[in-house]
Amino acid sequence: MRPLEDSPPRRSHAQLESWVEEFEKEEHCIAGSITVAPQEDGDTDDTGLVILRLRNASASIFMKPRSYDDPVWELTLTERPDDLVMTVHDIASLAAEYVIASNLCTFLQWKSLEWDRQSGRRAA
């Protein structure tokens, strides 16, 4: 077996897409768009990366497992090149998108733990 240090747990692109689809079917009010982009590590294994493109700001939120064999997922908010001036309604809409991103990341973390338990990687 080859070393897996500093690489995320293996969640296939297709598996992550099915989890995102399941999340979307739960009728979350998503203003932006969610995609799963291929992300390859040094050995060209498809590890997957979930991206929420925000509608109310020119930024995206990337979601992925924190590291190999770590069940915790993390979010990364992309950097903005300039200040963001918004109305009260716009900032409330952006805050709602952040809540959706948090809910999606929590859902993916839960699905990962569930998958690990079913596969025998983690105890119940």
Side-chain angles (χ1 to χ4, degrees):
M1 182 171 182
R2 55 175 209 260
L4 294 173
E5 292 180 81
D6 300 323
S7 65
R10 298 304 189 253
R11 306 288 181 255
S12 73
H13 185 269
Q15 186 175 40
L16 289 173
E17 280 185 332
S18 73
W19 291 351
V20 166
E21 206 173 287
E22 184 179 339
F23 180 82
E24 289 175 324
K25 284 181 183 174
E26 291 180 359
E27 298 182 17
H28 292 278
C29 183
I30 301 166
S33 63
I34 304 170
T35 57
V36 178
Q39 174 189 347
E40 296 178 352
D41 67 11
D43 294 326
T44 67
D45 288 327
D46 184 6
T47 56
L49 180 68
V50 178
I51 303 168
L52 172 62
R53 287 182 177 79
L54 302 173
R55 180 177 179 199
N56 293 290
S58 60
S60 296
I61 298 175
F62 299 98
M63 296 166 221
K64 63 181 181 66
R66 193 163 49 187
S67 65
Y68 178 72
D69 204 27
D70 187 338
V72 177
W73 279 60
E74 65 184 6
L75 298 112
T76 302
L77 180 61
T78 60
E79 190 175 334
R80 291 191 34 79
D82 52 354
D83 292 342
L84 181 61
V85 179
M86 305 178 90
T87 66
V88 171
H89 174 27
D90 291 339
I91 196 110
S93 296
L94 180 59
E97 287 188 289
Y98 286 157
V99 169
I100 292 296
S102 175
N103 290 345
L104 174 58
C105 196
T106 300
F107 179 82
L108 294 169
Q109 183 171 308
W110 180 82
K111 293 299 283 187
S112 292
L113 283 168
E114 180 182 55
W115 184 84
D116 284 352
R117 287 185 183 115
Q118 290 175 355
S119 69
R121 289 181 47 103
R122 294 201 186 276

